[in-house]
Amino acid sequence: MSVWDDLVGQEAAISELSAAAAGQGMTHAWLITGPPGSGRSNAARAFAAALLTEDHGASLSPEAQRALSGTHESMTMLRTQKSVISIDEVRQLVSTSQSSPVNADWRVIIIEDADRMAERTSNVLLKAIEEPPPTTVWILCAPSPEDVLTTIRSRCRTVGLRIPPAEAVAQLLVNRDGVDPERAKWAAAAAQNHIGRAKHLALDDDAAQARRRILEIPQRLTSVGATVRLAGRTVEAASERAEERTKARSEKERAELLETLGVEPGKAVPPALRPQVKKLEEEQKRRAVRARADELDSIMLELLSLYRDVLLTQLGSGDTLINISEAELIREIAAQDDATTTLKRINVLELARERLQTNTAPLLIVEAAFIGLANPWLETHTTL
């Protein structure tokens, strides 16, 4: 067992990163890129573990396991569920990067979703990358090099990841998580080879059932009234799931802040301290908005996978379905319309995903998308 075991289908990247950890071609700034599901954050943590262990990650030593979990004392990770990484967060990382490593040769700083930095924030990071302490290593993660400021990526060594094959993802679920081979195969296909999503579907029956309900949405768009009501329930359910994802973290952050400020549990916050509490609440609100958008985006992605299969079936290539277990539903939908109509529905969903990245009200976006799915030849869904 090594730190690289969870990086399935990434042999070229593993070779490059493990060689660097052993001292061959090492540099102080790295940019790990790849589409969602390729394992960018896993690769960053594995590389950190290789840098922070004497055997360069060849075994799952206690030090390696701490690094893989993000708790190693010489490792700092910035994760965010917000739309934008704040300049204060990056300034804190820059300050941390000046510290000497503890129980290791390197101090490793990882920024997930580095593409969420505004230009001003990136410029704060730029100076730290240009003149780092000799024992500091920066590891940035982003979907592609173009998603990072040019001046940043020009100072980083880029390692590209790819979506792993479905067979490799399924085998990982079998070997690592003890999933039944057939369920692992289904989950890998349904998740479109996204390792984290595949694990979630394979191990959580509720998630699998929720996905089935999403795929049944097109069959429930029977009238304008039914479509609008379903859109409302969909947004409400997404908001509830987003709140579940963020609630515990938000409560913990608030409790920790109040303890730091010296406010006793149950006591009112003194007026002089309220701005700090308000700032935290605003950050948490932004994170909640992002979480809701992510939940809705995942619904659009599931529906896109359905119509992708419908289109292939209509074109006579239905032997490579993503939704293997929904073949009957796919054939039923495919028989109702032609490929041109299906392409219009795919465009409706792509437009909805783009709108979810804007400040448009989520309910309006989902209503427009569902109306477009019900009748893609209407032009009203293209404008809000």
Side-chain angles (χ1 to χ4, degrees):
M1 299 287 287
S2 77
V3 300
W4 310 105
D5 288 346
D6 286 354
L7 288 180
V8 296
Q10 309 292 352
E11 289 77 12
I14 291 173
S15 177
E16 185 173 358
L17 293 172
S18 58
Q24 303 173 27
M26 185 58 191
T27 187
H28 65 278
W30 295 77
L31 175 60
I32 298 178
T33 65
S38 58
R40 297 189 302 261
S41 60
N42 286 344
R45 288 195 298 269
F47 186 32
L51 291 169
L52 297 172
T53 52
E54 292 184 0
D55 63 359
H56 308 304
S59 67
L60 290 180
S61 63
E63 294 81 7
Q65 293 183 49
R66 292 204 305 276
L68 290 173
S69 65
T71 59
H72 194 284
E73 53 273 20
S74 289
M75 173 182 172
T76 303
M77 292 188 66
L78 174 59
R79 302 186 182 98
T80 185
Q81 293 180 346
K82 299 181 295 183
S83 299
V84 178
I85 295 174
S86 72
I87 195 168
D88 289 338
E89 289 173 311
V90 172
R91 282 174 176 157
Q92 181 60 49
L93 286 183
V94 171
S95 177
T96 301
S97 73
Q98 302 299 313
S99 304
S100 299
V102 179
N103 300 324
D105 294 332
W106 300 98
R107 173 158 298 278
V108 181
I109 311 290
I110 298 175
I111 302 181
E112 295 185 359
D113 301 311
D115 53 305
R116 296 187 187 180
M117 289 188 294
E119 183 173 352
R120 181 178 172 219
T121 305
S122 295
N123 287 332
V124 172
L125 177 63
L126 177 61
K127 184 172 180 59
I129 289 181
E130 285 179 327
E131 303 173 3
T135 56
T136 293
V137 178
W138 290 89
I139 306 175
L140 314 183
C141 302
S144 73
E146 290 71 27
D147 291 314
V148 179
L149 200 66
T150 303
T151 50
I152 293 286
R153 69 171 183 260
S154 66
R155 289 161 175 79
C156 297
R157 180 173 169 182
T158 301
V159 176
L161 305 182
R162 64 189 183 95
I163 291 291
E167 297 79 7
V169 175
Q171 194 60 51
L172 175 66
L173 295 177
V174 172
N175 295 341
R176 185 190 65 185
D177 303 305
V179 178
D180 174 78
E182 284 302 312
R183 186 173 179 88
K185 181 180 178 181
W186 165 81
Q192 301 180 58
N193 307 6
H194 189 299
I195 296 173
R197 176 67 174 156
K199 178 181 177 180
H200 184 54
L201 289 173
L203 299 179
D204 190 334
D205 288 335
D206 290 341
Q209 293 173 11
R211 185 176 188 277
R212 170 69 188 185
R213 290 193 293 271
I214 291 171
L215 297 181
E216 292 173 346
I217 284 175
Q219 303 297 80
R220 299 165 63 189
L221 306 177
T222 55
S223 68
V224 174
T227 298
V228 171
R229 288 192 295 272
L230 182 56
R233 290 195 297 272
T234 299
V235 173
E236 288 177 5
S239 299
E240 290 172 0
R241 289 194 299 273
E243 183 178 359
E244 290 176 4
R245 284 173 47 193
T246 58
K247 184 177 180 180
R249 178 178 173 181
S250 295
E251 290 177 348
K252 181 180 178 181
E253 288 175 341
R254 181 181 176 87
E256 290 176 347
L257 176 61
L258 293 179
E259 182 180 0
T260 301
L261 296 176
V263 179
E264 297 181 10
K267 299 293 185 180
V269 179
L273 302 179
R274 288 173 188 169
Q276 297 182 59
V277 176
K278 183 178 180 181
K279 180 180 178 182
L280 174 64
E281 291 173 345
E282 290 173 348
E283 290 181 355
Q284 291 175 340
K285 183 178 179 180
R286 287 193 292 269
R287 186 166 62 213
V289 170
R290 176 74 190 195
R292 181 182 60 188
D294 288 345
E295 289 288 342
L296 292 172
D297 187 62
S298 70
I299 292 173
M300 301 304 166
L301 282 172
E302 299 290 13
L303 291 172
L304 276 170
S305 77
L306 173 67
Y307 282 109
R308 176 262 191 197
D309 287 349
V310 169
L311 181 62
L312 288 180
T313 300
Q314 291 169 332
L315 297 176
S317 302
D319 55 343
T320 57
L321 299 181
I322 292 173
N323 300 285
I324 302 171
S325 61
E326 311 299 334
E328 183 177 347
L329 173 64
I330 290 165
R331 286 193 295 269
E332 181 180 344
I333 296 175
Q336 295 172 356
D337 290 297
D338 57 17
T340 302
T341 303
T342 300
L343 281 172
K344 279 186 167 291
R345 289 191 169 104
I346 289 173
N347 290 337
V348 166
L349 293 168
E350 292 287 6
L351 178 59
R353 294 192 67 206
E354 292 177 9
R355 286 171 170 167
L356 285 170
Q357 305 305 314
T358 68
N359 292 325
T360 306
L363 181 57
L364 290 179
I365 296 172
V366 177
E367 285 180 349
F370 284 8
I371 290 171
L373 292 180
N375 190 343
W377 295 95
L378 287 175
E379 296 300 325
T380 54
H381 67 271
T382 61
T383 57
L384 291 178

